[in-house]
Amino acid sequence: MLKTLPGFKRLNADIPEELFKEFAKRCIEEGMSKKDSLVQLLEKEFFKNSKSRRREQNKRALSRQGKHSM
């Protein structure tokens, strides 16, 4: 089992194949990883007014662990 960074939760979901294909296609077109794209999508939906603050918190958490967001 993969270790999840402190302050993060692992997301696992079964989604329809066509939806996943469209999601993967957009990730490629935008040059983003699936993880980064999904985080951005969720931030837009749930934190419309504080997305830059939330993104900075995530970057700081990753940098503390010696990981890069991309």
Side-chain angles (χ1 to χ4, degrees):
M1 185 160 105
L2 297 174
K3 182 173 172 79
T4 303
L5 297 174
F8 288 79
K9 295 290 182 187
R10 187 155 299 281
L11 176 65
N12 185 16
D14 293 327
I15 61 172
E17 187 174 351
E18 285 302 312
L19 184 59
F20 179 81
K21 285 180 179 180
E22 185 62 31
F23 173 67
K25 180 179 160 186
R26 283 195 193 176
C27 292
I28 292 168
E29 289 171 354
E30 295 174 10
M32 295 181 75
S33 71
K34 290 181 192 89
K35 176 189 164 205
D36 290 340
S37 184
L38 185 57
V39 168
Q40 185 180 58
L41 237 155
L42 291 171
E43 285 175 339
K44 282 180 187 176
E45 180 63 28
F46 296 114
F47 303 113
K48 290 178 177 122
N49 297 324
S50 62
K51 65 181 170 183
S52 62
R53 180 179 65 91
R54 183 68 65 176
R55 186 172 294 134
E56 284 304 314
Q57 287 175 338
N58 289 341
K59 284 182 183 179
R60 280 192 296 258
L62 288 171
S63 67
R64 280 193 297 261
Q65 295 298 318
K67 310 263 186 207
H68 299 287
S69 62
M70 288 193 196

